[in-house]
Amino acid sequence: MIAKPATKYQPIAPVALTDRQWPTRSITRAPVWLSTDLRDGNQALFEPMNGERKMKLFHELVRIGFKEIEVGFPAASQTDFDFVRRLIDENLIPDDVTIMVMTQSREDLIARTVEAVQGAPRAIVHLYNATAPAWRRIVFGMNVTQVMQLIAHHVGYLKQLTDAQPATQWTLQYSPETFSATELSVSLKACQTAIATWGAGPGRPIIINLPTTVENATPNVFADQIEWMDRHLSPREHIVLSVHPHNDRGTGVAAAELAMMAGADRVEGCLFGNGERCGNVDIVTLALNMYTQGVHPNLDFSDITSVARIAEECTSLPVHPRHPYAGDLVFTAFSGSHQDAIKKGFAAQDPHALWEVPYLPIDPADLGRTYDSVIRVNSQSGKGGIAFLLEREHGVVMPRRMQVEFSAVVQRQTDASEGEMSGEALWELFQTTYLRAQAPAAITCHGHKLDEDGQGIELDVTIDGTRQHLRGQGNGPIAATVDALGLPLRVDHYEERATGTGANAQALAIVEAAMEGVTGSTFGAGASHNIVTASVQAIVSVANRLLVRRQGTLAAVAA
């Protein structure tokens, strides 16, 4: 049994911010993005990336549009050190991209980190130390005064090393690790110590990065913490306020969104949320959430499938098929009611108007996805999805009552197979049901000849195994064919449509008819380059289907 939270867990206290402003704000512009796929994301992999995979992902991050990329932890790994040196020595960093490297607050690690980025035109050095009570007490055995002394000492040491290399434009990023679990007064004191020691001011910016190292409260609490810090940090105009949300509670994206409303200028995360434990904030989801609200994220996800495949290749982590925006199935509807609404939405959507297709919060085409898999058929599918696939792939437009009838046929098939039905399999089933004479078909039509006046027809048919020539009269091919067959058949609806274009165009005739002795009506169809042939085939099709139903009724009565 799960222990009661009140006896085992201590909730994070709310922030005393009675005049909070973030709830009334909206996100109106993209933040500065920092990809930490190559550092935080990489250190969370079962098998960290080698140099070549890191390089491939680096180039993809540049292509997407990241202007700040955390490229490694060079003091902790020779692979990371060599990778950073290769970027610099081979001049692989674009002029508008700044790399960032991370180091713990230890002199030897700081020196090794500065050595790794020596010669870079621009570099951010990310220095951090944990500040929360549990870490101070359990991990480091320090009080608050000692923590501040540690910050001042190591920021001062970094400043000394970087000032000695003026050819590089240096920026300090300071993170009070475990910020979200630290008393705000202590967090502020830690940040102001780093700001003062670095000498932040005109021409010497500093990034203050506030992480949910372990997400431990609802997103609104984090937003309050960020707004409080935004109000108290000084000199604010020379500070880039950054957030680094993790996803331990599953609300990393929400925390980042509310943090931006609360004053954050910058967001750190990974493409698909990779990172320690439950991951970092998912930048793809966060950025495309903004896009669906009319705010361009300044990142290029116009070929989201390619981005996902490269990330999978480099990290060996699969992107979940239901991952927001990027998953293989996120634009796929199996539900019948969803399919029907989507079908109607596509039909009504004006390409020049606001996007309003039900169940699709974003146009798949904006992400380089086609509409091919938007609607797929399984046992949960309905007539709308089935009609959509047949219309899109084969030009078959069924009357609504025919959609209802054929969806029942599809349902029986998918229930029996317990699987998904492809578009080709659906077309095969449509042909088997309506266009081909299947045993035990009573009537097979081999050919026809229409009189010149169009009022009479001669049929070459086999009925119950006997080849016959029949003749009928009527006010057109449909009525004449019914008369020739001599069946108590009543045609209730007829329509014809063209399928395909050019030399491949065919006429599709659809007939709804009823028969004496059979409850209800049913449909038949015929397809041919000749409309009269298609019409005759449709009558034969519906006659056969009604005869089968009549035989079933008679057998049931006899039993």
Side-chain angles (χ1 to χ4, degrees), residues 485-502:
L485 293 175
L487 295 171
L489 199 65
R490 185 189 76 240
V491 175
D492 293 333
H493 179 77
Y494 168 82
E495 61 182 66
E496 60 187 56
R497 296 180 183 271
T499 63
T501 57

Side-chain angles (χ1 to χ4, degrees), residues 286-343:
L286 183 59
L288 291 175
N289 280 357
M290 294 171 53
Y291 184 68
T292 65
Q293 301 302 302
V295 179
H296 200 289
N298 298 329
L299 295 175
D300 182 2
F301 293 123
S302 59
D303 188 357
I304 194 65
T305 301
S306 175
V307 174
R309 296 296 88 85
I310 290 173
E312 288 176 329
E313 177 186 347
C314 293
T315 65
S316 299
L317 290 177
V319 173
H320 194 281
R322 292 293 182 186
H323 190 288
Y325 303 108
D328 291 339
L329 293 179
V330 295
F331 298 120
T332 299
F334 290 108
S335 162
S337 61
H338 289 208
Q339 292 174 341
D340 184 61
I342 291 170
K343 176 178 181 291

Side-chain angles (χ1 to χ4, degrees), residues 231-311:
R231 295 184 187 187
H232 289 84
L233 284 168
S234 178
R236 183 64 180 88
E237 66 273 20
H238 300 300
I239 297 168
V240 176
L241 182 55
S242 177
V243 291
H244 182 111
H246 276 254
N247 199 46
D248 299 271
R249 291 169 53 92
T251 57
V253 168
E257 290 176 327
L258 298 191
M260 284 191 282
M261 296 178 195
D265 309 305
R266 182 175 179 270
V267 175
E268 297 188 353
C270 291
L271 283 176
F272 297 102
N274 180 32
E276 298 285 4
R277 301 177 311 281
C278 303
N280 295 283
V281 69
D282 178 341
I283 287 184
V284 169
T285 299
L286 183 59
L288 291 175
N289 280 357
M290 294 171 53
Y291 184 68
T292 65
Q293 301 302 302
V295 179
H296 200 289
N298 298 329
L299 295 175
D300 182 2
F301 293 123
S302 59
D303 188 357
I304 194 65
T305 301
S306 175
V307 174
R309 296 296 88 85
I310 290 173

Side-chain angles (χ1 to χ4, degrees), residues 214-542:
V214 179
E215 189 178 37
N216 56 357
T218 51
N220 62 296
V221 173
F222 185 56
D224 281 349
Q225 293 172 326
I226 297 303
E227 184 168 337
W228 191 93
M229 292 291 288
D230 178 48
R231 295 184 187 187
H232 289 84
L233 284 168
S234 178
R236 183 64 180 88
E237 66 273 20
H238 300 300
I239 297 168
V240 176
L241 182 55
S242 177
V243 291
H244 182 111
H246 276 254
N247 199 46
D248 299 271
R249 291 169 53 92
T251 57
V253 168
E257 290 176 327
L258 298 191
M260 284 191 282
M261 296 178 195
D265 309 305
R266 182 175 179 270
V267 175
E268 297 188 353
C270 291
L271 283 176
F272 297 102
N274 180 32
E276 298 285 4
R277 301 177 311 281
C278 303
N280 295 283
V281 69
D282 178 341
I283 287 184
V284 169
T285 299
L286 183 59
L288 291 175
N289 280 357
M290 294 171 53
Y291 184 68
T292 65
Q293 301 302 302
V295 179
H296 200 289
N298 298 329
L299 295 175
D300 182 2
F301 293 123
S302 59
D303 188 357
I304 194 65
T305 301
S306 175
V307 174
R309 296 296 88 85
I310 290 173
E312 288 176 329
E313 177 186 347
C314 293
T315 65
S316 299
L317 290 177
V319 173
H320 194 281
R322 292 293 182 186
H323 190 288
Y325 303 108
D328 291 339
L329 293 179
V330 295
F331 298 120
T332 299
F334 290 108
S335 162
S337 61
H338 289 208
Q339 292 174 341
D340 184 61
I342 291 170
K343 176 178 181 291
K344 291 173 179 173
F346 274 129
Q349 180 64 41
D350 181 341
H352 304 294
L354 292 174
W355 179 254
E356 285 189 308
V357 175
Y359 295 111
L360 295 180
I362 193 171
D363 185 349
D366 288 350
L367 305 181
R369 299 280 289 270
T370 68
Y371 301 135
D372 291 345
S373 62
V374 169
I375 292 179
R376 287 159 65 175
V377 173
N378 66 8
S379 60
Q380 304 300 309
S381 305
K383 59 186 180 298
I386 293 163
F388 177 85
L389 285 181
L390 286 176
E391 180 176 350
R392 185 191 67 195
E393 298 184 12
H394 301 284
V396 175
V397 181
M398 293 185 289
R400 188 164 182 81
R401 290 188 301 277
M402 189 180 189
Q403 293 178 27
V404 174
E405 177 183 276
F406 186 53
S407 68
V409 177
V410 175
Q411 184 82 32
R412 288 193 295 272
Q413 184 84 358
T414 53
D415 280 344
S417 66
E418 298 183 347
E420 182 184 346
M421 180 171 285
S422 67
E424 283 308 308
L426 190 66
W427 173 234
E428 179 65 24
L429 184 61
F430 181 85
Q431 292 180 91
T432 299
T433 304
Y434 296 112
L435 299 178
R436 296 174 185 157
Q438 300 290 318
I443 308 168
T444 303
C445 183
H446 306 290
H448 67 85
K449 183 178 180 181
L450 189 66
D451 291 352
E452 290 185 4
D453 61 5
Q455 304 297 302
I457 197 168
E458 183 177 325
L459 301 180
D460 178 8
V461 298
T462 295
I463 300 179
D464 293 331
T466 303
R467 189 88 174 240
Q468 304 178 44
H469 288 271
L470 304 177
R471 183 166 185 81
Q473 291 290 127
N475 59 2
I478 298 292
T481 300
V482 171
D483 181 60
L485 293 175
L487 295 171
L489 199 65
R490 185 189 76 240
V491 175
D492 293 333
H493 179 77
Y494 168 82
E495 61 182 66
E496 60 187 56
R497 296 180 183 271
T499 63
T501 57
N504 296 321
Q506 280 193 314
L508 177 71
I510 295 175
V511 172
E512 182 183 9
M515 181 178 285
E516 187 178 313
V518 178
T519 303
S521 62
T522 192
F523 287 84
S528 173
H529 293 288
N530 182 284
I531 185 57
V532 174
T533 301
S535 301
V536 171
Q537 290 175 349
I539 292 296
V540 171
S541 168
V542 76

